[in-house]
Amino acid sequence: MTGLGEASARGTAMDRDCLSCIKYLMFVFNFLIFLGGSFLLGVGVWVLVDPTGFKEIVAANPLLFTGVYIILAMGGMLFLLGFLGCCGAIRENKCLLMFFFMLILVIFLAELAAAILAFIFREHLTREYFTKELKRHYQGYNNTDVFTGTWNAIMNTFDCCGVNSPVDFEESLFRRINPNEMVPAACCRRGSHPGDSAYIPQEECLMGNMLFRNNKGCYSAVVDYFELYIYVAGALAIVVLTIELFAMVFAMCLFRGIQ
């Protein structure tokens, strides 16, 4: 009988140690989720207050504008979930753990669905697609048109012209509206100092003079600028999904282990 009692005591102590290990592992994973939410909040705020011109691009495009607020909402949700998960793990509160599990499951499925949709609709991010849309919809000087305003902001911000090159404006809506201009004013070069722009003959640029216009396409300019951020964002997305998956597993194990 004594042997059975000692074995039972050892088993109970082992269960307590295992439960304690799961509790602290869950705390660590939820702290990482908390940090991930803080990062997303920081990115969203940075885009909204960025002084380099990206703010204007976002504001001119309703899709990007909505995306920024989605990032802010996701960051706030992860921030809150990380906090709830940490509290639920340390306090061993079953209600908090179940609430945390259900919310993070919904977020995990939403992120997974978004990744699948992004993969399915990836063809809409090709050079050919952007070139076709530019030729069909870009007007040049219509400040009330969202599409035109977005492209003007991109070309002014990244010192580029067209999707591939200024040739993209041939046989386009812009040329039909402005038959005497080869490229829009947004393609014209600007000096490195504010006063330098006065010495750049805009008429020469509008007539297509290569010396006074930007000749690099915006697709390459934007991809080069955001290439590092795209890879970092993709890697972070994989890391966040993995952390969320482990956090759900630990939450359920801890929930079932609490008496």
Side-chain angles (χ1 to χ4, degrees), residues 141-155:
Y141 303 100
N142 188 345
N143 293 326
T144 61
D145 179 64
V146 173
F147 184 89
T148 299
T150 300
W151 267 103
N152 284 336
I154 291 173
M155 290 190 289

Side-chain angles (χ1 to χ4, degrees), residues 9-66:
R10 284 196 300 271
T12 302
M14 187 177 297
D15 290 340
R16 284 199 302 268
D17 291 341
C18 184
L19 188 64
S20 179
C21 180
I22 291 175
K23 179 174 73 174
Y24 288 111
L25 280 174
M26 183 180 171
F27 177 85
V28 170
F29 275 104
N30 279 283
F31 184 69
L32 293 175
I33 291 174
F34 177 84
L35 292 179
S38 302
F39 172 78
L40 288 178
L41 282 173
V43 169
V45 172
W46 172 76
V47 169
L48 290 178
V49 301
D50 175 42
T52 62
F54 192 59
K55 177 182 176 182
E56 285 74 15
I57 299 175
V58 172
N61 190 320
L63 183 61
L64 291 177
F65 190 73
T66 303

Side-chain angles (χ1 to χ4, degrees), residues 95-116:
C95 291
L96 275 178
L97 288 172
M98 181 54 68
F99 181 63
F100 165 81
F101 177 83
M102 295 304 297
L103 279 181
I104 204 167
L105 177 61
V106 170
I107 291 177
F108 179 84
L109 293 176
E111 291 172 344
L112 200 58
I116 293 172

Side-chain angles (χ1 to χ4, degrees), residues 188-203 212:
C188 296
R189 291 186 177 180
R190 288 166 297 280
S192 57
H193 303 288
D196 292 348
S197 59
Y199 298 98
I200 295 179
Q202 191 176 58
E203 291 184 2
F212 303 110

